[in-house]
Amino acid sequence: MKSYDLKVFEKVAELGSIQSAADRVGLTPSAVTRVIQRLENDLGAELFDRTAKPLKLTSSGRLALVHARRVLASVSEMAQALAPHSSPSGPLRVGVAHAIAPLLLMNSDMFALPDFPEVQVIIRAGWSQDLIAQIRNDALAGAFVLLETGHHPPPNTPAERLSESDVAIVGAATAKTGDVTIAELNQLGWALNPDGCGYRRALATSLNRLGLEPNIKMEVNSIELQLAIAQRGMAYTLLPMAWSTSLLHEYRVSRLNTSEFDLNVTLFFVHRLQIGNLLPPLNTLAHSVGRRLIST
């Protein structure tokens, strides 16, 4: 199986036409047909439904296309990495955990890479475990993820520990002072990320110990909205304290003291094993974001 055959297959799949693919890759239609037939023989599966116009992939063809693109991306990265004077270029896909995405994107200039003008940074927010899975599947080059302190990224996933923070309950500045119980706070309710958030899971665990379910008043995937709701005394929310000093002052919210909720998280930067010549801009980005996040 040749990488060139995979390129031809990808082009036919994109265009849905033997003729159009032949024009694009500089072959005759009969040559393109032979490439597809050879690939089907190698794989032992039909890749296209030839009764459909335009051509449509079979279920095997759709699966083959996913793997073909992954192989072609790896081949391209290898070529770039071994090119003696190639400069980093192309899309740099980076993930950011939902819980810190607003903190980072409030200072989006930290994603600028002036020393690498041919690199385009593409940011994808998601749950930390999903982002790690995307790195291992080569869908992302790297990601800033939050894991409960004591947990670590999977083996064979390069990771750099950036910093650590406790996660606190915050509410309006006029909210309860002194020690409060989590049951009291639950009566007013919570403004939290949608289900899947580690903060929300930890809160639920603390409440479940008391035989309570979280009183979720609002689901909003935005720290700014959560804090605005908390500021108005409508609900409480959760905030990583080490990276949020400026937010406490800006939204006039304060930390509430309770011994019944204890959560610490660690910020990691994780990346793929093979990145090619995108590694220098990726490292630059990791250091820039890490410094700025810690100083917020």
Side-chain angles (χ1 to χ4, degrees):
M1 191 183 304
K2 301 176 181 178
S3 63
Y4 183 75
D5 291 356
L6 298 180
K7 290 180 182 178
V8 173
F9 163 58
E10 181 184 39
K11 196 56 62 181
V12 175
E14 287 177 358
L15 300 176
S17 165
I18 295 289
Q19 181 65 61
S20 299
D23 294 340
R24 191 69 62 88
V25 300
L27 294 175
T28 64
S30 59
V32 170
T33 297
R34 287 195 298 273
V35 168
I36 298 302
Q37 289 173 341
R38 182 168 63 237
L39 192 56
E40 288 178 325
N41 288 334
D42 288 341
L43 295 173
E46 288 191 2
L47 301 177
F48 291 97
D49 177 0
R50 289 168 172 78
T51 65
K53 291 189 180 300
L55 283 177
K56 291 185 178 179
L57 290 166
T58 63
S59 58
S60 296
R62 290 192 294 271
L63 180 60
L65 183 61
V66 171
H67 289 282
R69 284 174 169 163
R70 190 176 299 164
V71 170
L72 291 172
S74 296
V75 170
S76 175
E77 287 178 0
M78 182 176 68
Q80 289 181 6
L82 296 178
H85 303 296
S86 65
S87 59
S89 63
L92 180 62
R93 295 178 174 83
V94 179
V96 179
H98 276 310
I100 57 169
L103 292 173
L104 296 182
L105 298 181
M106 284 168 59
N107 300 284
S108 57
D109 60 310
M110 71 176 70
F111 287 92
L113 293 171
D115 293 335
F116 304 98
E118 296 181 15
V119 174
Q120 300 87 44
V121 179
I122 299 172
I123 303 168
R124 181 180 299 170
W127 305 123
S128 291
Q129 293 298 340
D130 291 343
L131 296 176
I132 291 172
Q134 290 178 56
I135 288 171
R136 293 171 69 84
N137 290 331
D138 296 335
L140 293 174
F144 297 91
V145 300
L146 286 175
L147 299 178
E148 188 171 349
T149 298
H151 293 73
H152 301 278
N156 301 321
T157 303
E160 178 184 357
R161 181 187 177 280
L162 297 179
S163 64
E164 188 175 320
S165 176
D166 65 318
V167 177
I169 298 171
V170 298
T174 56
K176 300 173 181 290
T177 59
D179 291 337
V180 293
T181 68
I182 199 170
E184 290 178 85
L185 303 179
N186 197 51
Q187 290 177 3
L188 178 62
W190 310 92
L192 300 173
N193 289 334
D195 201 14
C197 173
Y199 295 1
R200 177 169 170 165
R201 189 163 50 247
L203 178 67
T205 298
S206 296
L207 287 166
N208 292 162
R209 292 193 192 104
L210 302 174
L212 299 172
E213 292 294 327
N215 177 18
I216 306 297
K217 285 294 185 64
M218 300 178 195
E219 287 188 345
V220 284
N221 200 3
S222 163
I223 288 178
E224 297 100 320
L225 286 176
Q226 291 168 6
L227 290 174
I229 291 165
Q231 181 191 65
R232 289 167 174 76
M234 300 165 62
Y236 301 108
T237 191
L238 302 171
L239 200 61
M241 300 306 291
W243 313 311
S244 307
T245 302
S246 61
L247 291 176
L248 291 174
H249 297 299
E250 180 180 350
Y251 285 90
R252 299 189 300 280
V253 293
S254 58
R255 177 175 189 159
L256 299 169
N257 297 315
T258 176
S259 60
E260 296 169 317
F261 179 74
D262 182 23
L263 175 64
N264 285 272
V265 292
T266 301
L267 174 65
F268 287 95
F269 180 71
V270 295
H271 62 82
R272 290 196 330 234
L273 281 169
Q274 303 297 330
I275 301 177
N277 65 1
L278 288 174
L279 184 59
L282 189 63
N283 282 336
T284 298
L285 187 65
H287 294 150
S288 170
V289 172
R291 286 197 305 271
R292 291 285 295 276
L293 186 60
I294 293 169
S295 66
T296 57

